């Protein structure tokens, strides 16, 4: 298995853990989605794969890439992991680029200084990557600055940079949410094509459950740092078993649907909120008194699991 996360728990000074007993896997050529509201722990999972953890965090569990535990790696092995094995695509491409450096510098510096490639070879590789992600006139783009490119083009540049070292695993953290709908569709098609051609494993983070259902092979739904449902994408979309998953789908508008949007009541929990029972109970329309004391544990459902006392197998 390309990525294996087992029982990952991260505490960083709050009254409850950022993540609690999270487990998931990503295989070669597979796209696995992480879905949930802001603060649910999605980005923390991705960052833990690169061991980019909060300062002073207490961590337990296991995060393994190709069988090697990232949490116990030596500094040299960790540098190799970040340089060549795993790449991350961030939400805002402008935050990844130095506004006073040219696009060519951004693409070649990693290859020259980290991967040890000659400058001429790095430049040729940069031109090849820009062409591969659909950017016209790569020679011109190498000489331009970030402010001279559109948001969609910059996202393609960031994807090209992520592919520079031929990684086995891509971490896409809200990689399309800052783009308009048309550019988002083009970027998703590009990611899908590149992923399929290179048989990459991908951890795809998004707020959009419908997007995850259309783009991913399997989806994990997070709430308050815990995986509440794990299913193949189609089954999750067609037959959600956890009330939170059903709530996310119910508050998503659809063309031609006359029904009003039904938002999930209340607010997402903060790290200062603690729960004796199910963390979703205060917002769950189906909760009863027992949910305030029952500790959620995964129940087997078709194709995966759901952590809810009321789930029907």
């Amino acid at each position: 298995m390309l990525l294996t996360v087992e029982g990952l728990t991260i505490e960083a000074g709050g009254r409850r853990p950022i993540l609690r007993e999270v487990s998931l896997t990503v295989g070669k050529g597979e796209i696995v989605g992480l879905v949930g509201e802001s603060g649910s722990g999605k980005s923390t999972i991705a960052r833990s794969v690169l061991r980019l953890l909060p300062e002073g965090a207490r961590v337990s569990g296991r995060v393994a890439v190709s069988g090697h535990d990232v949490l116990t790696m030596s500094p040299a092995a960790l540098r190799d992991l970040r340089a060549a094995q795993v790449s991350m695509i961030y939400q805002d491409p402008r935050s990844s680029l130095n506004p006073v450096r040219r696009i060519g510098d951004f693409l070649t510096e990693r290859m020259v200084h980290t991967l040890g490639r000659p400058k001429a070879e790095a430049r040729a590789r940069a031109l090849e990557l820009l062409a591969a992600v659909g950017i016209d006139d790569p020679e011109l783009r190498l000489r331009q600055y970030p402010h001279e490119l559109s948001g969609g083009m910059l996202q393609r540049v960031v994807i090209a940079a992520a592919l520079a070292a031929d990684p086995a695993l891509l971490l896409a953290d809200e990689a399309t949410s800052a783009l308009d709908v048309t550019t988002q569709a083009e970027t998703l098609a590009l990611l899908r094509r590149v992923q399929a051609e290179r048989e990459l494993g991908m951890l795809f983070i998004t707020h959009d459950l419908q997007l995850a259902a259309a783009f991913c092979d399997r989806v994990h739904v997070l709430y308050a740092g815990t995986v509440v449902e794990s299913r193949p994408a189609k089954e999750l979309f067609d037959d959600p078993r956890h009330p939170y998953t059903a709530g996310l789908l119910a508050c998503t508008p659809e063309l031609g649907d006359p029904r009003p949007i039904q938002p999930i009541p209340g607010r997402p929990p903060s790290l200062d909120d603690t729960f004796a029972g199910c963390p979703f109970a205060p917002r769950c329309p189906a909760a009863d008194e027992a949910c305030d004391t029952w500790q959620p544990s995964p129940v087997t459902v078709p194709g995966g699991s759901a952590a809810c006392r009321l789930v029907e197998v």
Side-chain angles (χ1 to χ4, degrees):
M1 193 60 65
L2 188 57
L3 172 65
T4 303
V5 179
E6 296 177 341
L8 179 63
T9 298
I10 299 177
E11 298 177 88
R15 297 181 64 190
R16 67 170 178 84
I18 299 174
L19 297 174
R20 181 171 64 84
E21 294 292 326
V22 170
S23 297
L24 58 87
T25 60
V26 180
K28 182 180 179 181
E30 184 179 33
I31 303 177
V32 175
L34 291 178
V35 176
E37 294 168 289
S38 295
S40 60
K42 306 184 299 300
S43 295
T44 303
I45 293 174
R47 290 174 180 274
S48 71
V49 179
L50 295 170
R51 210 165 87 190
L52 299 173
L53 301 171
E55 186 175 354
R58 299 186 301 279
V59 185
S60 61
R62 184 169 180 264
V63 179
V65 176
S66 299
H68 302 287
D69 192 348
V70 176
L71 302 180
T72 60
M73 275 184 177
S74 67
L78 187 60
R79 282 194 297 273
D80 178 67
L81 174 89
R82 293 171 177 174
Q85 299 178 53
V86 182
S87 290
M88 180 173 267
I89 304 170
Y90 293 94
Q91 177 177 354
D92 181 7
R94 295 186 190 278
S95 67
S96 303
L97 296 161
N98 188 330
V100 299
R101 302 298 300 279
R102 298 179 191 272
I103 298 300
D105 296 330
F106 172 70
L107 289 172
T108 59
E109 281 181 344
R110 178 186 180 192
M111 290 187 275
V112 172
H113 298 296
T114 304
L115 302 178
R117 294 180 179 175
K119 289 184 178 181
E121 180 184 329
R123 189 177 187 280
R125 175 65 170 157
L127 291 170
E128 176 189 327
L129 288 168
L130 289 179
V133 298
I135 288 185
D136 62 318
D137 200 350
E139 284 276 3
L140 171 63
R141 306 308 176 192
L142 286 184
R143 300 192 299 271
Q144 291 183 309
Y145 292 91
H147 72 271
E148 297 179 274
L149 275 64
S150 69
M153 293 179 71
L154 289 177
Q155 193 64 282
R156 291 172 183 264
V157 169
V158 170
I159 293 172
L163 299 173
D166 294 316
L169 177 65
L170 277 180
L171 309 173
D173 189 0
E174 299 280 1
T176 62
S177 62
L179 307 175
D180 63 74
V181 175
T182 302
T183 307
Q184 182 185 77
E186 293 174 351
T187 303
L188 288 172
L190 169 63
L191 282 172
R192 170 68 80 178
R193 175 176 61 80
V194 169
Q195 181 269 337
E197 289 175 351
R198 301 176 182 233
E199 293 189 303
L200 302 175
M202 184 185 298
L203 192 62
F204 185 78
I205 297 172
T206 180
H207 285 87
D208 189 337
L209 187 53
Q210 290 185 324
L211 173 59
F215 189 72
C216 301
D217 301 306
R218 292 185 291 113
V219 179
H220 300 275
V221 182
L222 273 82
Y223 186 80
T226 303
V227 176
V228 296
E229 187 164 1
S230 301
R231 306 276 298 286
K234 186 177 186 304
E235 283 84 344
L236 185 80
F237 186 79
D238 292 341
D239 182 29
R241 294 302 183 93
H242 195 281
Y244 179 59
T245 310
L248 289 177
L249 288 171
C251 65
T252 303
E254 295 185 25
L255 290 175
D257 190 343
R259 294 174 299 175
I261 296 174
Q262 300 175 357
I264 299 173
R267 60 168 179 80
S270 73
L271 290 177
D272 288 328
D273 294 326
T274 58
F275 308 95
C278 175
F280 189 58
R283 307 174 69 191
C284 180
D288 55 27
E289 291 183 1
C291 294
D292 292 328
T293 58
W294 183 84
Q295 287 290 333
S297 56
V299 175
T300 300
V301 296
S305 63
C308 178
R309 188 178 65 86
L310 304 173
V311 69
E312 295 182 4
V313 179

